[in-house]
């Protein structure tokens, strides 16, 4: 029950006595509830290193040996564990070609490396083992050729692994440099089958291994629910915008698979409860002076609402915002959130740079804010609190989002409950990006990674090195 309340599940039972496991669960909960990590350490990085990265199931992978600001020839994989528990990094200084992106899955010994040809007219998806850098034996087609002529957009390429599926996204600015256009495709990396042919859509997010969400730049802007196995768009769900957006992206995360090495030391085979998963959205307005819009959507609540609507209106292909949106989303006021990284969402949590006071005041400095959309602590009576080191709020009431600079003057209602915790002092460092995993927050500066872990400490381990800031 303690695990379930925290939004976690025990995938398999280890050898630890139940009393020790319960103690660790409660310590981990306290650390998150007070935003007081149990470990802190720093990893040096070269300022010239590219910022292509992935964080997946307790590992951080990133490009090294840069050839330009966007391309690299090597990869480093590091466990998100403090130095006293570390194992040697997995490093490939030079994989033999220039890369534009990477994804990986240690449970499959898989790295997906996106080769960029010199003329930029072709890209190759190379499915290789992490251990040997050899073609992966489970991939029917270890190398997949992509050509610019086959895609509507081409400039930027990003990938996301989700089980047997690999999503590939292409995007670029339009000719007037006003808004971003894009297309997405999904392939089964094991069978080589194309599950989503190249489709003009701004971004995609996985709801499960068979269902994905798409952002269509239609009029009005809408989400599409797509079935990968049937290869069809089931329904569309409009977003309440009367004008086009400059860009729209999902903030999401690969599925979590426990690392046996970490599990054997401190945390058993703990996984997040996917029933509580959220998806973040980052929308940039096209109107003058408009600020980025941050939205959180509950995946399970959205699917339940979509199922109800499909049963009531089986012949209806598109549902209006008022029919599906307010109960399953939360729209944040301008100024409350300044930035969320593309891997700043994990499970029911989202880490952001922002200011909880921005809804009622302005002009204060930004801090880190950890949002949690797990409803179970709220149901159990979780409450707001102001301590000496942190402030916690609980929000259940309906908010009305608006932007004074929006020519339409629309007001959007949303009421997805959440908790949020923030330190009572501003950020000490300037983080260019912040990532979130099951047990770890990672802040990237110009020359280092700052890692804050919420893993319980083994018995006899020395006190932590530093507070959060």
């Amino acid at each position: 029950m303690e695990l379930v309340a925290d939004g976690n599940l025990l995938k398999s039972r280890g050898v630890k006595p139940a009393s020790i496991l319960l103690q660790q669960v409660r310590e981990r909960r306290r650390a998150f509830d007070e935003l007081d990590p149990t470990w802190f350490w720093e990893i040096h990085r070269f300022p010239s290193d590219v910022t292509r990265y992935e964080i997946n199931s307790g590992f951080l992978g990133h490009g090294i040996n840069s050839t330009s600001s966007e391309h690299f020839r090597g990869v480093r994989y590091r466990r998100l564990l403090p130095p006293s528990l570390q194992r040697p990094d997995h490093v490939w200084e030079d994989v033999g070609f220039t890369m534009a992106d990477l994804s990986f899955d240690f449970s499959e010994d898989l790295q997906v490396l996106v080769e960029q040809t010199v003329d930029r007219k072709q890209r190759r998806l190379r499915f290789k083992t992490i251990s040997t850098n050899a073609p992966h034996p489970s991939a029917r087609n270890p190398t997949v050729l992509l050509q610019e002529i086959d895609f509507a957009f081409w400039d930027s390429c990003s990938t996301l692994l989700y089980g047997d599926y690999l999503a590939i996204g292409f995007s670029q600015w339009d000719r007037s440099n006003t808004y971003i256009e894009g297309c997405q495709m999904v392939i089964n990396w094991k069978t080589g089958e194309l599950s989503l042919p190249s489709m003009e859509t701004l971004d995609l997010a996985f709801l499960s291994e068979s269902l994905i969400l798409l952002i269509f730049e239609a009029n009005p802007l809408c989400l599409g629910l797509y079935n990968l196995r049937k290869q069809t768009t089931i329904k569309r769900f409009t977003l309440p915008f009367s004008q086009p957006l400059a860009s729209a992206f999902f903030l999401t995360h690969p599925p979590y698979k426990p690392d046996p090495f970490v599990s054997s030391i401190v945390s058993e085979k703990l996984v997040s409860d996917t029933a509580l998963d959220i998806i973040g959205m980052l929308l940039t307005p096209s109107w003058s002076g408009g600020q980025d819009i941050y939205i959180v959507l509950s995946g399970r609540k959205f699917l339940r609402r979509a199922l109800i609507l499909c049963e009531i209106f089986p012949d209806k292909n598109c549902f209006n915002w008022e029919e599906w949106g307010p109960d399953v989303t939360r729209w944040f006021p301008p100024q409350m959130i300044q930035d969320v990284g593309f891997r700043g969402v994990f499970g029911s949590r989202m880490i952001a740079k922002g200011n909880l006071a921005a809804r009622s005041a302005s002009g204060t400095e930004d801090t880190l804010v950890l949002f949690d959309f797990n409803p179970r602590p709220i149901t159990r009576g979780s409450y707001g609190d102001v301590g000496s080191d942190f402030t916690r709020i609980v929000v259940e009431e309906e908010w009305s989002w608006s932007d004074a600079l929006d020519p339409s003057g629309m007001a959007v209602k949303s009421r997805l409950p959440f908790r949020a915790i923030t330190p009572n002092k501003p950020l000490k460092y300037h983080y260019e990006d912040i990532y979130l995993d099951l047990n770890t927050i990672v802040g990237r500066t110009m020359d280092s990674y700052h890692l804050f872990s919420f893993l319980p400490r083994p018995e006899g381990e020395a006190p932590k090195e530093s507070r959060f800031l």
Side-chain angles (χ1 to χ4, degrees):
M1 289 300 295
E2 297 287 336
L3 282 170
V4 171
D6 287 350
N8 297 306
L9 301 172
L10 197 60
K11 191 169 184 180
S12 63
R13 185 71 174 91
V15 297
K16 289 181 183 176
S19 59
I20 299 298
L21 181 58
L22 180 61
Q23 178 183 345
Q24 292 184 341
V25 167
R26 287 173 173 168
E27 172 56 23
R28 182 175 176 274
R29 177 193 301 160
R30 183 210 61 79
F32 268 115
D33 281 351
E34 298 180 8
L35 204 54
D36 182 23
T38 49
W39 311 80
F40 166 80
W41 69 102
E42 185 175 3
I43 300 172
H44 177 74
R45 64 180 291 269
F46 292 105
S48 60
D49 281 353
V50 294
T51 55
R52 290 291 186 174
Y53 69 89
E54 182 60 280
I55 183 169
N56 189 350
S57 301
F59 287 87
L60 172 67
H62 60 93
I64 58 174
N65 193 5
S66 306
T67 59
S68 71
S69 61
E70 298 179 352
H71 303 119
F72 54 101
R73 293 185 65 87
V75 185
R76 180 184 297 274
Y77 300 103
R78 185 187 299 265
R79 277 186 170 89
L80 297 177
L81 286 175
S84 62
L85 298 178
Q86 270 292 353
R87 280 186 167 183
D89 295 347
H90 295 261
V91 182
W92 292 102
E93 294 287 350
D94 193 323
V95 298
F97 50 84
T98 299
M99 294 172 281
D101 196 33
L102 78 152
S103 291
F104 64 90
D105 182 348
F106 265 77
S107 71
E108 296 275 5
D109 190 26
L110 170 68
Q111 56 181 346
V112 182
L113 308 178
V114 182
E115 179 185 358
Q116 176 75 63
T117 59
V118 176
D119 62 5
R120 298 179 64 91
K121 300 293 184 183
Q122 295 180 339
R123 292 187 177 103
R124 295 183 182 92
L125 303 176
R126 295 188 178 269
F127 301 99
K128 292 176 167 285
T129 61
I130 297 172
S131 55
T132 66
N133 197 37
H136 201 289
S138 297
R140 177 173 294 181
N141 301 318
T143 301
V144 176
L145 177 65
L146 306 176
Q147 302 189 81
E148 181 180 15
I149 193 172
D150 296 327
F151 296 89
F153 311 105
W154 185 253
D155 282 0
S156 177
C157 175
S158 61
T159 56
L160 172 64
L161 263 175
Y162 200 98
D164 292 348
Y165 292 105
L166 175 73
I168 309 104
F170 299 99
S171 62
Q172 65 188 42
W173 286 96
D174 74 311
R175 292 183 179 179
S176 63
N177 210 35
T178 303
Y179 57 91
I180 291 180
E181 304 167 304
C183 61
Q184 309 288 323
M185 64 180 291
V186 178
I187 65 173
N188 185 310
W189 69 269
K190 289 184 176 179
T191 66
E193 295 175 351
L194 191 61
S195 301
L196 173 68
S198 178
M199 182 182 294
E200 290 192 28
T201 175
L202 297 177
D203 203 0
L204 68 76
F206 285 87
L207 290 167
S208 68
E209 279 217 13
S210 60
L211 295 174
I212 60 174
L213 272 181
L214 302 167
I215 306 178
F216 289 107
E217 193 179 13
N219 189 13
L221 188 81
C222 66
L223 303 180
L225 183 59
Y226 185 91
N227 190 311
L228 290 170
R229 291 172 183 163
K230 296 181 179 179
Q231 299 188 22
T232 181
T233 300
I234 302 171
K235 300 289 182 182
R236 295 196 181 203
F237 304 83
T238 65
L239 289 164
F241 292 100
S242 59
Q243 299 188 48
L245 298 176
S247 65
F249 297 100
F250 286 120
L251 309 172
T252 183
H253 203 283
Y256 192 89
K257 302 176 182 178
D259 174 20
F261 177 66
V262 177
S263 300
S264 66
I265 297 174
V266 286
S267 64
E268 300 283 327
K269 292 196 173 180
L270 197 67
V271 298
S272 62
D273 185 352
T274 57
L276 302 175
D277 280 2
I278 60 171
I279 295 172
M281 295 181 66
L282 167 57
L283 311 178
T284 301
S286 59
W287 53 83
S288 178
Q291 297 178 332
D292 287 344
I293 303 165
Y294 288 94
I295 306 168
V296 165
L297 176 147
S298 166
R300 179 61 61 89
K301 288 187 176 182
F302 168 78
L303 284 176
R304 285 177 178 171
R305 184 62 181 161
L307 178 60
I308 291 172
L309 290 172
C310 290
E311 289 178 347
I312 298 174
F313 307 103
D315 298 326
K316 193 171 183 177
N317 293 320
C318 187
F319 297 101
N320 296 326
W321 162 258
E322 292 78 10
E323 296 177 287
W324 72 270
D327 289 328
V328 305
T329 62
R330 175 65 69 172
W331 292 52
F332 289 94
Q335 304 294 341
M336 179 173 280
I337 296 179
Q338 293 299 317
D339 184 45
V340 179
F342 282 91
R343 291 292 178 264
V345 169
F346 181 88
S348 66
R349 293 187 172 106
M350 178 174 74
I351 188 72
K353 288 189 289 185
N355 172 21
L356 286 182
R359 190 162 186 258
S360 57
S362 60
T364 56
E365 297 179 90
D366 286 341
T367 63
L368 284 186
V369 183
L370 182 66
F371 297 91
D372 192 347
F373 289 82
N374 176 4
R376 294 165 186 166
I378 299 176
T379 303
R380 297 178 87 189
S382 179
Y383 54 89
D385 188 17
V386 179
S388 59
D389 296 318
F390 65 89
T391 297
R392 184 191 306 120
I393 66 170
V394 177
V395 178
E396 298 181 79
E397 69 268 20
E398 179 178 277
W399 281 358
S400 181
W401 176 93
S402 63
D403 184 343
L405 298 173
D406 176 10
S408 69
M410 65 178 181
V412 182
K413 298 184 184 303
S414 65
R415 40 187 173 265
L416 186 66
F418 72 92
R419 299 182 302 153
I421 175 97
T422 186
N424 289 340
K425 52 186 175 182
L427 283 168
K428 185 177 179 180
Y429 300 96
H430 171 69
Y431 291 121
E432 297 182 323
D433 207 350
I434 303 174
Y435 325 143
L436 179 64
D437 201 50
L438 177 66
N439 298 302
T440 313
I441 295 172
V442 182
R444 176 171 57 82
T445 70
M446 279 291 294
D447 58 6
S448 64
Y449 293 101
H450 291 178
L451 295 100
F452 307 91
S453 175
F454 296 83
L455 284 169
R457 286 180 167 274
E459 186 175 353
E461 188 68 33
K464 63 186 178 184
E465 302 173 38
S466 168
R467 277 200 61 83
F468 192 50
L469 299 172

